[in-house]
Amino acid sequence: MINNKKFEIIAPVSSISNRTRLFKLYTFLVDQHPVLPIKHVGWERSDGESREKYFSDKKIEKQLLLKGGGYGNKKTKLMYLLWMYKVFIYCLFNNNKSSVVWALGFETAFPAYLASKITRAKIIFDDADRFSMLFKKPFFLKKILEKLEEHTSRNVRFHVVPSLSRYSFQSANFFELKNIPSLSELSKAKQYYESLIWPNADFILNVNGWLGDCRGMKTALHLAEHFNNVNDFHIILVGKLDGEASKLLSERNNVTYLGEVSNFEALSTYFASDFVFTYYDPANEINLYAESNKWGDALATGTGIIVNREVKTAKHLITNPNTISVPYDDTDSLITMISQYIA
């Protein structure tokens, strides 16, 4: 299916480097097809974000269909409609029957699929976050999106998903791709970990990824404030600060904030940690079916996992003795359980 003409990754993100799933895809493609030309057709949310800072030794052709909009605001949501239109036009005039398009999200895969009915391009629908689950109301819109997702799934070449648990329909094109780290990244991460000096405390908590309020940052801040003795409790914080809670957390003396780092650098922090923090606000339906990269990273490195009990896809983890699980808003119970690990 993959030839040496061109492999296109169309995704509403600024860069491949900063989206873990695409980072892994690109690394795999380069390892398996070193001469394959790769193009990223994307959306630069903030100025300068499109630079591929973790692939400086390799070349990725880049074309931006959209610029601006930022993250998570009303303007961003409206710009998704413009993104879908631009993807359709782009695919219509730039693809042909030899094109292979890796489309991230329904908002990309659906317009790419519509264009492929004319161009005959091969569309791979990478459904990392099910789009219809982002909508609660209006109910009729959610149902329409679900039907369109199902139709797209059954008519693309592959529908790549991190878990089948999010879907109530069957599709012959489903391809389950779990979020686990590659052996090469693990090896690089272990070597990097061994080359540095890390914080030392009775309990070290790893908080990484998107550091936003709906990922439990207020709870993490509360933990740092409660366990304020640096010899008892320490947080290794990695990722993009998003909101007041994560900013305050990064400034505490029992927190080491490393900023935004490469995939293997983030993975190296697991070897220095006792548990990784994976909280998902249950008010958002998609969060109930989270398939966190952090779980695969934790299992591969022998790191414990903290996950809120409402996450349905974490049931297999909750029975593990190396997992702490409490309700999302029950910070007191979480404090009690962490206290058992502090001498």
Side-chain angles (χ1 to χ4, degrees), residues 175-307:
F175 184 91
E176 194 170 20
L177 183 62
K178 291 291 186 182
N179 291 325
I180 57 175
S182 68
L183 292 177
S184 61
E185 284 295 295
L186 268 175
S187 177
K188 195 187 302 184
K190 186 65 181 295
Q191 292 177 19
Y192 187 72
Y193 157 75
E194 292 172 346
S195 71
L196 300 176
I197 298 175
W198 296 88
N200 184 29
D202 290 335
F203 189 96
I204 295 180
L205 181 62
N206 192 309
V207 181
N208 74 81
W210 177 26
L211 307 177
D213 287 346
C214 71
R215 297 294 173 85
M217 287 306 105
K218 291 180 181 177
T219 298
L221 177 60
H222 190 76
L223 292 176
E225 291 172 343
H226 179 84
F227 297 107
N228 54 20
N229 187 325
V230 294
N231 295 317
D232 292 341
F233 179 91
H234 200 92
I235 288 177
I236 297 176
L237 188 67
V238 182
K240 186 179 181 65
L241 302 178
D242 183 14
E244 186 66 16
S246 62
K247 183 177 183 299
L248 291 173
L249 182 63
S250 70
E251 296 169 350
R252 294 196 57 81
N253 65 350
N254 57 350
V255 174
T256 297
Y257 177 51
L258 301 179
E260 298 179 63
V261 301
S262 67
N263 183 259
F264 83 86
E265 288 174 295
L267 191 55
S268 72
T269 64
Y270 284 74
F271 293 106
S273 307
D274 296 300
F275 282 81
V276 64
F277 184 76
T278 64
Y279 258 34
Y280 297 91
D281 187 346
N284 299 326
E285 184 186 12
I286 188 65
N287 287 344
L288 301 177
Y289 299 91
E291 285 289 341
S292 179
N293 282 285
K294 303 180 191 71
W295 297 342
D297 294 345
L299 294 173
T301 56
T303 309
I305 296 169
I306 295 178
V307 59

Side-chain angles (χ1 to χ4, degrees), residues 102-174:
W102 187 282
L104 182 66
F106 170 79
E107 65 273 26
T108 306
F110 179 63
Y113 151 68
L114 290 179
S116 75
K117 293 175 74 68
I118 298 172
T119 66
R120 314 311 297 171
K122 303 170 187 67
I123 309 300
I124 302 171
F125 176 9
D126 182 2
D127 204 7
D129 298 300
R130 192 175 178 190
F131 192 71
S132 63
M133 285 187 173
L134 301 176
F135 293 83
K136 294 181 181 179
K137 297 178 181 179
F139 182 74
F140 77 89
L141 176 59
K142 182 179 177 65
K143 287 301 177 183
I144 291 173
L145 287 172
E146 288 175 350
K147 288 297 182 182
L148 291 176
E149 285 174 330
E150 182 176 350
H151 179 76
T152 305
S153 175
R154 291 175 174 166
N155 287 278
V156 293
R157 183 59 63 94
F158 294 110
H159 184 185
V160 182
V161 299
S163 171
L164 295 175
S165 62
R166 295 174 178 176
Y167 304 90
S168 57
F169 63 86
Q170 298 294 319
S171 171
N173 296 326
F174 275 140

